[in-house]
Amino acid sequence: MTLDSTWARRFVERAADTVSENRAALIELDREIGDGDHGENLERGFSAVRAKLASQPDDATPGALLKMVATTLISTVGGASGPLLGTAFLKGAGAIGDATEIDSAAVAAFVAAARDGAVLRGKAEVGDKTMIDAWTPASDAAKAAADAGGDPTSVLRAAADAAADGAASTEPLVARKGRASYLGERAVGHRDPGAQSSALILAAAADAADDVAAAAATTSGEA
Amino acid sequence: MTLDSTWARRFVERAADTVSENRAALIELDREIGDGDHGENLERGFSAVRAKLASQPDDATPGALLKMVATTLISTVGGASGPLLGTAFLKGAGAIGDATEIDSAAVAAFVAAARDGAVLRGKAEVGDKTMIDAWTPASDAAKAAADAGGDPTSVLRAAADAAADGAASTEPLVARKGRASYLGERAVGHRDPGAQSSALILAAAADAADDVAAAAATTSGEA
Amino acid sequence: MKKLINDPKDVVEEAVAGIGAAHPDLLVVSHDPTFVRRASGPVAGKVAIVSGGGSGHEPLHAGFVGHGMLSAAVPGPVFTSPTPDPIVAATQAVDGGAGVLYIVKNYTGDVLNFETAADLAEAEGITVASVLVDDDVAVKDSLYTAGRRGVAGTVVVEKTAGAAAERGDSLEQVAEVARRTNAATRTMGVALTAGVVPHAGEPSFTLADDEVEIGIGIHGEPGRERVPLEPVDRIVDRLLDAVLDDLGTASGDRVLLFVNGMGGTPLVELYVAFRRASEVLTEKGVQVTRTLVGNYVTSLEMQGMSITVTTLDDELTELWDAPVETAALRRGR
Amino acid sequence: MKKLINDPKDVVEEAVAGIGAAHPDLLVVSHDPTFVRRASGPVAGKVAIVSGGGSGHEPLHAGFVGHGMLSAAVPGPVFTSPTPDPIVAATQAVDGGAGVLYIVKNYTGDVLNFETAADLAEAEGITVASVLVDDDVAVKDSLYTAGRRGVAGTVVVEKTAGAAAERGDSLEQVAEVARRTNAATRTMGVALTAGVVPHAGEPSFTLADDEVEIGIGIHGEPGRERVPLEPVDRIVDRLLDAVLDDLGTASGDRVLLFVNGMGGTPLVELYVAFRRASEVLTEKGVQVTRTLVGNYVTSLEMQGMSITVTTLDDELTELWDAPVETAALRRGR
Ligand SMILES: Nc1ncnc2c1ncn2[C@@H]1O[C@H](COP(=O)(O)OP(=O)(O)O)[C@@H](O)[C@H]1O
Ligand SMILES: Nc1ncnc2c1ncn2[C@@H]1O[C@H](COP(=O)(O)OP(=O)(O)O)[C@@H](O)[C@H]1O
Ligand SMILES: [Mg+2]
Ligand SMILES: [Mg+2]
Ligand SMILES: [Mg+2]
Ligand SMILES: [Mg+2]
């Protein structure tokens, strides 16, 4: 099984939905250890992404769609998360290239390149209490799942689950990057908003793959 | 019976005490329909008056002492009440002149001149919801008591009681002078702070006369 | 009460000391009696201008002492008119022999204390003229009130009168400019929250979370009405309508538009309000030829603003544009 | 939330429109992408200076656009760095061929977005140099933080760099002046209350009625510690000690003393604080040769202040004194 541009479109919609649903929760996380705009920033970005989706050519490749996400996030989100997530999508899209069908290895390569892109820009390491604490375990889990022969859907699910654990793992940490680093010990006990949103976005990717699989099952069942 | 400079000194002390004790209450009245400084203004003025009292010559006449009150209030209180009360004391002191003993007629003349002084400066009439609503009935009552043959103490008490009633009478009024006039109907139900403080000051004058009479009784009793 | 102060009783003296320390090139501070005067001293043959009033409205008045505006400012206690003594002392310190103009905001306390000061100064041989500022349209000017209050328009009067004095006008002429500016100026304000007078320790009034006071005075005196909090465009319309109506502004008029912050409102909000006010005026065919936006006549930490419109003619425009060098307004020097 | 705004989403656009309407002589506003540039346009052969960052800190940065200071300002959403697009557009609009300096407050978001903008502008053939402002001593500058924040000292850097550009310095020289000013500048702040971000609708943090946050950042990020509210003299001492200690200020040094309001603090309190700070410096033998007091780098309606000290030499003094004509700072023109 492989994923195609239907998945990519569904991923973008799901990501926009989850960001919108979690706007207030992300603002609240950021208010606690940042400046309270993370949910607002991402919602601004993903609604711009959603608005652009309709006008993408029918034959747009998954890579082209994800590159559109990247450039749109870079030009609408601002703050720290805009360039970081934008670069993640940009590098991830680059890893997929112009393939129309994405296999498990390509999915793992997407997540790994996205992670590397964010690290390149933000210079954060695991344990710094940033979105990297979601992307790094996600990338590792995706590679392990792909190496173990999992299909793209299960690779994405492994990445999403690892990202969720990674986001949770930021709670006891002192931050060493971003705005939360100003708080020292006072950041302990709070989850990093960027790690949380990254986990939500990866979950959207996995859910989109599930949607596609379910639709395929229905279609083939009906056929 | 007449009043002398012992009374005048005692009056000043009593006035300073009552203003100090009622500082918060006067601020509160003024906060409701003015700008919340009346208690502060008068306390600043009367503590300056109290501080100057000690350095007045032993042979200072009642008129000289009350003129000191006038000029001190004018130069320390500020706001609307400073010039008004100051002028009241100035004109009142003028009515007493350099007499060393003040009889009932002189007491009534003091209150009347004080009232006229405040009216001259502030151009308020009875019913405008200002200190004039205390001073005018006080002046009328003092004249009536003096005309009826009352002693100075009872003349002052009549003035004080009438002033207290006058202060209470401001509660249902709409203000036509001073800061409360900006409120229109919204001033209704609130007592005018300046009428209240004027009543307190006149009560201090009467209480001082009582003190003097009590001291005289003790002395003559002991003698 | 949360304030960056020491003893509430010392606020004014300490602030005045700070003003002196912050602007030694512009100002000299006198303590006991307290007033602030131009560092450059009186100029023989030029009219001097003195203003003053309760503190808590900073930068008014001390922030407007300097070339092209006030010669001296006399700050009273917070929200309380100064007594005559410091006014007289300031008058003596700045008189250059051509007389002194008092610019007095129309409040009973200010009027009475400046009146006494004028009497005392005249007794010392100084010619004094007085002009009352009463630009606040929220208050009805009738026999049944103390008359209109002087609010943000005071800055405009101090600016044009100051320029007139600087160009060498006589006392009578400077007073005429001040009166004419006042007559051409109207203001109305709104409060979202109240200021806290240091010695009172409590807000001067209380508004519900969804309520604003339309027609607020700068001492937190109530205004015309309390209405629910609305989008600022609606609030601007209310204030501006009242101002233009009272001023009789017509299409083709040239005006100064001045959006003034009450002290606790972020500048970003004042600009949002300014945008609306200038749009509305433009739609009405009124030409906004001069502008001012910022916290100039404040009421401690009150959140709110006022809108002032002054009808300009060539002379008032020229006087508004004239060089000014003060702590709070500086241009052309 | 009580604010003089319409839809929270429109605050920045409407405020920028207001800034344009209020200062047509100084500024031109671009919408979509949003930036503010000098009305006079680029000057061939002169270095241009662009700064920007999240909104909510007004008058920073748009209030400092004009002769002798910034060429353009790029306001992002409230408390959020602008994206690269408007920065690039502003860069193109002001480039006079001699290169463009970015003055960037040291926050991850600002750094990354200006970095991308610089890459894009360079790709368009414009030479860009960047200087980070990181004057806030409340944050430890170590491998374990995002580094010091840029706060009120930004105004000083924009002023001296602007003057250097105006006198015709090369891009390298202007950048050097900016870096040197930043290196000579330290700030620490205190908050009494929090600002309310319009789209959040709630205060950014909560302090008890008797508590202050020492070392606050201008986005309401927490600082060093929460302590009970003290007399302002004590608070000034805390801030100034940290600043002077970090700066290594010694007797005989000449300094600029800058007391900055966070937006919701009455000016009268800033002057009370200034008085103390200047007294303490004088006692230590430090010469306060230049001063600034007011709301210049704010945090919406936050009550609080910061104290900035810049060590001055002859050149920095001259650049500070140079004529400047902007909405928020004006002198000599
Ligand atoms: N250097 C960095 N590397 C990786 N992620 C970072 C870095 N700095 C900040 N972040 C992420 O950005 C998030 C904050 O994003 P956002 O609130 O949108 O921007 P800002 O901090 O500018 O307000 C943080 O929660 C963190 O996950
Ligand atoms: N025109 C006037 N005539 C008489 N009394 C007046 C007049 N105006 C104000 N007052 C009195 O002054 C009082 C207010 O005094 P105060 O609060 O000290 O001064 P301010 O109003 O300047 O703050 C009012 O309560 C009223 O009694
Ligand atoms: Mg944030
Ligand atoms: Mg009062
Ligand atoms: Mg008062
Ligand atoms: Mg932000």
Side-chain angles (χ1 to χ4, degrees):
Chain A
M1 199 208 132
T2 54
L3 296 171
D4 60 10
S5 67
T6 310
W7 164 75
R9 284 178 192 270
R10 190 80 196 112
F11 172 21
V12 170
E13 282 162 6
R14 282 249 183 206
D17 288 347
T18 191
V19 160
S20 191
E21 280 154 25
N22 287 280
R23 176 182 175 278
L26 293 171
I27 284 181
E28 187 52 29
L29 287 180
D30 197 33
R31 217 167 57 85
E32 282 164 6
I33 57 169
D35 58 354
D37 58 0
H38 188 56
E40 177 80 8
N41 293 345
L42 288 193
E43 203 200 23
R44 185 172 53 246
F46 276 97
S47 31
V49 167
R50 194 204 300 272
K52 282 198 190 161
L53 192 61
S55 61
Q56 297 304 304
D58 281 347
D59 60 353
T61 59
L65 291 168
L66 295 173
K67 190 175 169 211
M68 177 278 286
V69 174
T71 54
T72 307
L73 292 182
I74 290 174
S75 68
T76 57
V77 175
S81 57
L84 291 168
L85 265 190
T87 304
F89 271 90
L90 195 65
K91 300 295 177 182
I96 294 176
D98 51 13
T100 51
E101 300 289 326
I102 310 166
D103 62 12
S104 297
V107 166
F110 168 78
V111 182
R115 175 210 167 267
D116 291 351
V119 169
L120 186 77
R121 292 304 306 275
K123 317 247 163 10
E125 294 170 14
V126 169
D128 285 356
K129 195 169 183 133
T130 70
M131 62 172 70
I132 301 308
D133 290 340
W135 283 101
T136 298
S139 165
D140 294 347
K143 182 171 188 324
D147 288 352
D151 67 4
T153 305
S154 63
V155 170
L156 282 173
R157 182 60 61 198
D161 290 349
D165 289 350
S169 79
T170 62
E171 289 184 11
L173 300 177
V174 169
R176 284 192 295 246
K177 282 278 181 292
R179 225 173 271 282
S181 70
Y182 309 141
L183 274 86
E185 292 293 331
R186 290 208 255 170
V188 169
H190 298 278
R191 183 175 296 206
D192 177 62
Q196 177 68 8
S197 59
S198 292
L200 292 171
I201 290 166
L202 282 165
D207 291 347
D210 285 344
D211 292 349
V212 171
T218 317
T219 314
S220 61
E222 273 171 3
Chain B
M1 201 209 128
T2 56
L3 295 171
D4 59 11
S5 67
T6 309
W7 164 76
R9 285 177 193 269
R10 189 79 196 114
F11 171 21
V12 170
E13 282 162 6
R14 282 245 181 212
D17 288 346
T18 193
V19 160
S20 190
E21 280 154 26
N22 288 280
R23 176 181 174 278
L26 294 170
I27 283 180
E28 187 52 29
L29 288 180
D30 196 32
R31 217 167 58 84
E32 282 163 7
I33 57 169
D35 58 354
D37 59 359
H38 188 57
E40 177 79 8
N41 293 345
L42 288 193
E43 203 200 24
R44 186 173 51 246
F46 276 96
S47 29
V49 166
R50 192 204 300 272
K52 282 198 190 163
L53 192 61
S55 61
Q56 298 302 304
D58 282 347
D59 61 353
T61 59
L65 291 168
L66 294 173
K67 191 175 168 210
M68 177 278 287
V69 173
T71 55
T72 307
L73 292 181
I74 290 173
S75 68
T76 57
V77 174
S81 57
L84 291 168
L85 266 189
T87 304
F89 271 90
L90 195 64
K91 300 294 178 185
I96 295 176
D98 52 11
T100 51
E101 300 287 328
I102 310 167
D103 62 14
S104 297
V107 166
F110 168 79
V111 181
R115 176 210 166 269
D116 291 351
V119 168
L120 185 77
R121 291 305 305 276
K123 317 245 162 18
E125 294 169 14
V126 170
D128 284 356
K129 196 169 182 131
T130 70
M131 62 172 71
I132 301 308
D133 290 339
W135 283 101
T136 297
S139 166
D140 294 347
K143 182 168 188 326
D147 286 353
D151 66 5
T153 304
S154 63
V155 171
L156 281 173
R157 182 59 61 196
D161 290 348
D165 289 348
S169 79
T170 62
E171 290 184 11
L173 300 176
V174 168
R176 284 193 293 247
K177 281 279 184 291
R179 224 172 272 282
S181 70
Y182 309 140
L183 273 86
E185 291 294 330
R186 291 208 255 169
V188 169
H190 298 277
R191 182 175 298 206
D192 177 61
Q196 177 69 6
S197 60
S198 291
L200 292 171
I201 290 166
L202 282 164
D207 291 347
D210 284 345
D211 292 349
V212 171
T218 317
T219 315
S220 62
E222 273 170 2
Chain C
M1 174 181 60
K2 264 182 150 174
K3 285 186 179 289
L4 292 170
I5 60 171
N6 298 301
D7 189 324
K9 291 219 186 297
D10 299 330
V11 168
V12 174
E13 278 309 315
E14 292 184 347
V16 167
I19 290 170
H23 310 293
D25 47 330
L26 300 174
L27 309 169
V28 171
V29 159
S30 155
H31 296 280
D32 198 17
T34 304
F35 65 89
V36 174
R37 66 164 176 86
R38 279 192 208 175
S40 54
V43 182
K46 275 205 182 168
V47 170
I49 306 184
V50 174
S51 190
S55 292
H57 308 302
E58 290 69 25
L60 193 77
H61 296 272
F64 301 117
V65 171
H67 179 91
M69 224 163 153
L70 299 181
S71 313
V74 188
V78 174
F79 286 6
T80 299
S81 159
T83 61
D85 298 9
I87 305 174
V88 173
T91 308
Q92 291 172 318
V94 301
D95 177 41
V100 178
L101 178 71
Y102 288 173
I103 297 181
V104 183
K105 303 194 294 303
N106 188 35
Y107 299 94
T108 309
D110 295 74
V111 171
L112 294 177
N113 285 288
F114 274 89
E115 222 170 70
T116 305
D119 289 349
L120 295 170
E122 297 264 3
E124 301 288 327
I126 302 174
T127 313
V128 173
S130 292
V131 172
L132 290 185
V133 181
D134 62 349
D135 54 319
D136 188 352
V137 303
V139 173
K140 270 195 237 114
D141 187 14
S142 81
L143 283 177
Y144 306 108
T145 67
R148 284 182 163 161
R149 301 171 293 211
V151 288
T154 311
V155 175
V156 189
V157 176
E158 293 182 355
K159 175 68 184 74
T160 56
E166 209 66 66
R167 77 179 172 190
D169 280 17
S170 70
L171 180 58
E172 209 166 296
Q173 289 168 325
V174 175
E176 201 275 324
V177 164
R179 267 184 216 109
R180 198 147 56 81
T181 306
N182 180 59
T185 300
R186 298 290 189 286
T187 300
M188 193 149 99
V190 61
L192 277 60
T193 62
V196 179
V197 177
H199 66 246
E202 272 182 274
S204 308
F205 56 91
T206 348
L207 285 166
D209 272 358
D210 60 349
E211 226 181 19
V212 303
E213 178 86 43
I214 301 281
I216 192 77
I218 56 171
H219 304 91
E221 312 100 327
R224 287 193 177 183
E225 49 176 342
R226 291 189 173 188
V227 301
L229 178 63
E230 303 169 303
V232 67
D233 282 3
R234 296 287 82 67
I235 294 177
V236 167
D237 292 353
R238 281 178 191 269
L239 304 184
L240 200 56
D241 279 355
V243 162
L244 298 181
D245 188 53
D246 203 283
L247 198 53
T249 304
S251 172
D253 284 358
R254 286 176 292 155
V255 302
L256 162 73
L257 173 60
F258 170 21
V259 172
N260 174 60
M262 293 293 190
T265 292
L267 192 53
V268 69
E269 297 179 25
L270 299 183
Y271 277 117
V272 171
F274 186 90
R275 173 203 119 270
R276 174 68 180 185
S278 97
E279 271 174 21
V280 171
L281 286 168
T282 306
E283 270 166 33
K284 289 185 196 288
V286 178
Q287 300 175 52
V288 178
T289 56
R290 294 295 180 272
T291 62
L292 190 65
V293 182
N295 290 281
Y296 291 100
V297 179
T298 63
S299 185
L300 297 168
E301 65 269 72
M302 184 190 281
Q303 290 195 314
M305 62 163 176
S306 61
I307 297 185
T308 300
V309 175
T310 300
T311 313
L312 295 173
D313 56 21
D314 287 346
E315 194 196 7
L316 290 185
T317 302
E318 191 188 309
L319 293 167
W320 176 257
D321 287 346
V324 58
E325 185 176 6
T326 69
L329 204 63
R330 199 157 174 163
R331 176 191 319 139
R333 276 173 72 102
Chain D
M1 175 180 60
K2 263 182 151 173
K3 286 187 179 287
L4 293 170
I5 61 173
N6 298 302
D7 189 326
K9 291 219 186 295
D10 300 330
V11 169
V12 173
E13 277 309 313
E14 293 183 347
V16 167
I19 289 170
H23 310 292
D25 49 330
L26 299 174
L27 308 169
V28 171
V29 159
S30 156
H31 296 280
D32 197 18
T34 305
F35 65 90
V36 174
R37 66 165 177 85
R38 280 192 210 176
S40 55
V43 182
K46 273 204 184 171
V47 171
I49 305 184
V50 174
S51 189
S55 292
H57 308 302
E58 291 67 24
L60 195 76
H61 296 271
F64 301 117
V65 172
H67 179 90
M69 226 162 152
L70 299 181
S71 312
V74 189
V78 174
F79 286 6
T80 298
S81 159
T83 62
D85 299 8
I87 305 174
V88 173
T91 307
Q92 291 172 319
V94 301
D95 177 42
V100 179
L101 178 71
Y102 288 174
I103 297 181
V104 183
K105 302 195 293 305
N106 188 35
Y107 299 95
T108 309
D110 295 72
V111 171
L112 294 177
N113 286 288
F114 273 90
E115 224 170 69
T116 305
D119 288 350
L120 295 170
E122 297 264 4
E124 302 288 324
I126 301 175
T127 313
V128 173
S130 293
V131 171
L132 291 184
V133 181
D134 62 348
D135 55 317
D136 188 351
V137 303
V139 174
K140 270 196 238 111
D141 186 14
S142 81
L143 284 176
Y144 305 109
T145 67
R148 284 182 163 159
R149 300 173 292 214
V151 288
T154 310
V155 176
V156 189
V157 176
E158 293 182 355
K159 175 69 185 73
T160 57
E166 209 65 66
R167 78 180 170 189
D169 281 16
S170 70
L171 180 58
E172 207 167 298
Q173 288 166 327
V174 176
E176 201 274 325
V177 163
R179 268 184 215 109
R180 198 146 58 80
T181 306
N182 180 59
T185 299
R186 298 288 189 288
T187 299
M188 192 148 100
V190 62
L192 276 59
T193 62
V196 179
V197 177
H199 66 246
E202 273 181 273
S204 308
F205 56 91
T206 351
L207 286 167
D209 273 357
D210 61 348
E211 227 181 17
V212 303
E213 178 87 44
I214 300 281
I216 192 77
I218 57 171
H219 305 91
E221 313 98 327
R224 288 193 176 182
E225 49 175 341
R226 291 189 174 189
V227 301
L229 179 63
E230 303 169 302
V232 66
D233 283 4
R234 296 290 80 69
I235 294 176
V236 166
D237 291 354
R238 279 179 192 269
L239 303 183
L240 200 55
D241 279 354
V243 162
L244 298 181
D245 187 52
D246 203 284
L247 198 53
T249 303
S251 172
D253 284 359
R254 286 176 292 155
V255 302
L256 162 73
L257 172 61
F258 169 20
V259 172
N260 174 60
M262 292 294 190
T265 293
L267 193 53
V268 69
E269 298 180 24
L270 300 183
Y271 277 117
V272 170
F274 187 91
R275 173 203 119 272
R276 173 67 178 185
S278 96
E279 271 175 21
V280 169
L281 286 168
T282 306
E283 269 167 32
K284 289 186 197 286
V286 178
Q287 300 174 55
V288 179
T289 56
R290 293 297 180 273
T291 62
L292 190 66
V293 183
N295 290 282
Y296 290 100
V297 179
T298 63
S299 184
L300 298 168
E301 65 270 71
M302 184 190 282
Q303 290 195 312
M305 63 163 175
S306 61
I307 298 186
T308 299
V309 175
T310 300
T311 313
L312 294 174
D313 55 22
D314 287 348
E315 195 196 7
L316 291 185
T317 303
E318 191 189 308
L319 293 167
W320 176 257
D321 287 347
V324 59
E325 187 176 5
T326 69
L329 204 63
R330 197 155 177 165
R331 178 192 316 140
R333 277 172 72 102

